[in-house]
Amino acid sequence: MENVPRYLFSMPLEIEADNVVNKIPRRFSEEFQLMAANLGDSIQEFLIAVAIGRPTVLSSRSLVRAVAKVDPRRVAVCSPYLDSGIMRALASERIAYIKDANNVFLPFLGLAASPTLEGRAAKQMSPHTQRIVLNLIAGRWDGLTAGELAKAASVSRSTITNCLAEIEAILPSSLSTEWKRRVLRNPGMSKDRILEVFEPYLISPVKERKLLKGKDSLEALQHAGALLSGESALPYYSDLAHDASVLRVAVYRKKLTQIKEKAGSRWVETEWFEVPDIIVEEWAYDLDGFNAASKASTGFCSIDALGLYAEMRDEGKNDVRFADAVAQLREAACQQ
């Protein structure tokens, strides 16, 4: 059909006539043409409701509910006349839609695509935004309102407004308005797919590194909740061998002054020519996820796989062994 894309996500979209229209009220056949559909090699068949005119949220919602009473297949509303407002409203109600090959929301297949909003270019994320996105992907902050995000991240509402604008420029379908509240929500995408969308805009979370001599400061670092990071944490997610000669830990940069005060004279930084025993990474945002697998052997929990991947994804590209470890880390991040 003319208004149905032939390909979505580089996969062929195959459609054929279906008799489900005979099982629902006749009025729907005046507004939509229902077709059975398959995308690529997916075994999950769904229905495409091609709008005859300009669809509304109300008509789309009514159709989806009517079909659900007589058929288990999911329905995707298809029309080139879907504007941004309608698409956001449909996404907020988890109603699938297809406007064109670049505007697709199929949550039951874990697929979604949206172009950059007009007049707003996607860019590298700020530290607060990256923290929010990582927590969204991990599922910790999925479905939080703007007010709840401000509380969870311990930042102002104005900061959250800016963060959500950055996120919206990258993945508009992740933001919706529900009962006059802005809500951040995974639009039904797999962890691998949503990470793929945000990955080009990730920044290094490490602002600076402190190189320490001796291990007398370990107690102060443990007390502050420092987490194993970098090459010290990577072996817990991959086949990379452990290097016990240097311990790498991460702390939120705003906690560093307190840690140094608690350590006192035990905090000794190396000279430029000395090899450090501890590398303390100052992170630009607070650390939320952790993995306790390293606790027994090192005394520290590790950063979770997703948070560690944000740090390590560009490391060791010229070292096949290291690059393979980072690939394993990404796989672990998408499985957790």
Side-chain angles (χ1 to χ4, degrees):
M1 300 179 67
E2 184 178 348
N3 292 333
V4 181
R6 295 179 58 190
Y7 291 86
L8 296 176
F9 305 98
S10 300
M11 294 182 287
L13 178 63
E14 299 179 357
I15 60 174
E16 60 182 20
D18 194 273
N19 65 357
V20 68
V21 69
N22 299 325
K23 303 176 184 179
I24 59 177
R26 183 177 302 176
R27 64 184 177 84
F28 289 112
S29 63
E30 299 175 357
E31 300 176 277
F32 299 94
Q33 183 175 357
L34 285 162
M35 311 285 287
N38 276 99
L39 182 61
D41 296 327
S42 173
I43 61 173
Q44 184 174 356
E45 185 177 85
F46 61 100
L47 296 169
I48 286 183
V50 182
I52 296 174
R54 188 180 297 273
T56 65
V57 175
L58 179 60
S59 64
S60 300
R61 183 193 301 126
S62 299
L63 172 68
V64 170
R65 290 177 178 175
V67 173
K69 293 178 180 179
V70 298
D71 196 292
R73 290 172 294 179
R74 303 298 292 272
V75 179
V77 177
C78 182
S79 172
Y81 301 113
L82 295 174
D83 59 32
S84 59
I86 292 178
M87 287 188 288
R88 285 181 183 169
L90 293 176
S92 71
E93 297 188 27
R94 311 287 291 172
I95 297 176
Y97 64 76
I98 301 171
K99 177 180 180 179
D100 51 41
N102 297 316
N103 293 270
V104 184
F105 179 58
L106 302 175
F108 51 88
L109 296 180
L111 298 172
S114 302
T116 300
L117 293 181
E118 185 177 348
R120 178 182 294 158
K123 60 181 181 180
Q124 299 300 111
M125 291 184 283
S126 64
H128 287 308
T129 299
Q130 181 155 310
R131 181 188 179 194
I132 292 170
V133 165
L134 294 178
N135 278 294
L136 169 67
I137 297 173
R140 290 185 288 264
W141 293 359
D142 187 10
L144 296 192
T145 65
E148 291 168 337
L149 286 170
K151 184 177 181 179
S154 298
V155 297
S156 66
R157 289 294 296 267
S158 60
T159 297
I160 289 297
T161 297
N162 292 331
C163 291
L164 294 184
E166 291 183 39
I167 294 171
E168 191 173 35
I170 299 171
L171 185 62
S173 57
S174 64
L175 271 298
S176 61
T177 301
E178 302 175 16
W179 300 102
K180 298 184 179 180
R181 299 183 300 176
R182 294 281 276 167
V183 178
L184 178 68
R185 197 185 302 282
N186 182 334
M189 301 167 70
S190 67
K191 285 188 178 180
D192 180 71
R193 175 58 183 153
I194 196 170
L195 177 57
E196 182 181 334
V197 171
F198 283 104
E199 189 167 348
Y201 307 100
L202 293 175
I203 60 171
S204 172
V206 182
K207 304 301 290 184
E208 192 175 342
R209 290 179 171 88
K210 301 295 185 184
L211 311 183
L212 305 185
K213 184 176 182 179
K215 296 189 176 181
D216 293 338
S217 59
L218 285 180
E219 183 180 350
L221 288 165
Q222 289 171 335
H223 186 267
L227 297 177
L228 214 62
S229 61
E231 293 179 47
S232 293
L234 187 56
Y236 292 95
Y237 298 102
S238 68
D239 298 329
L240 191 70
H242 291 265
D243 178 8
S245 63
V246 181
L247 187 71
R248 296 169 174 80
V249 296
V251 296
Y252 182 30
R253 61 180 180 81
K254 290 187 177 181
K255 295 181 180 179
L256 191 62
T257 299
Q258 179 183 353
I259 295 172
K260 292 172 69 173
E261 289 177 353
K262 184 174 181 61
S265 61
R266 292 171 294 177
W267 183 278
V268 182
E269 298 188 17
T270 62
E271 300 291 341
W272 65 270
F273 54 85
E274 294 179 311
V275 177
D277 297 295
I278 302 174
I279 297 177
V280 179
E281 299 175 349
E282 296 181 56
W283 277 46
Y285 48 83
D286 214 345
L287 299 93
D288 299 293
F290 67 91
N291 180 351
S294 59
K295 179 76 172 180
S297 58
T298 68
F300 291 89
C301 293
S302 300
I303 298 172
D304 73 340
L306 188 59
L308 184 62
Y309 182 71
E311 176 190 3
M312 305 300 292
R313 66 190 186 92
D314 289 327
E315 300 293 328
K317 291 186 175 180
N318 296 323
D319 184 333
V320 175
R321 176 185 58 89
F322 201 94
D324 182 62
V326 173
Q328 292 177 55
L329 172 64
R330 191 186 191 284
E331 183 176 350
C334 293
Q335 291 176 344
Q336 288 185 347

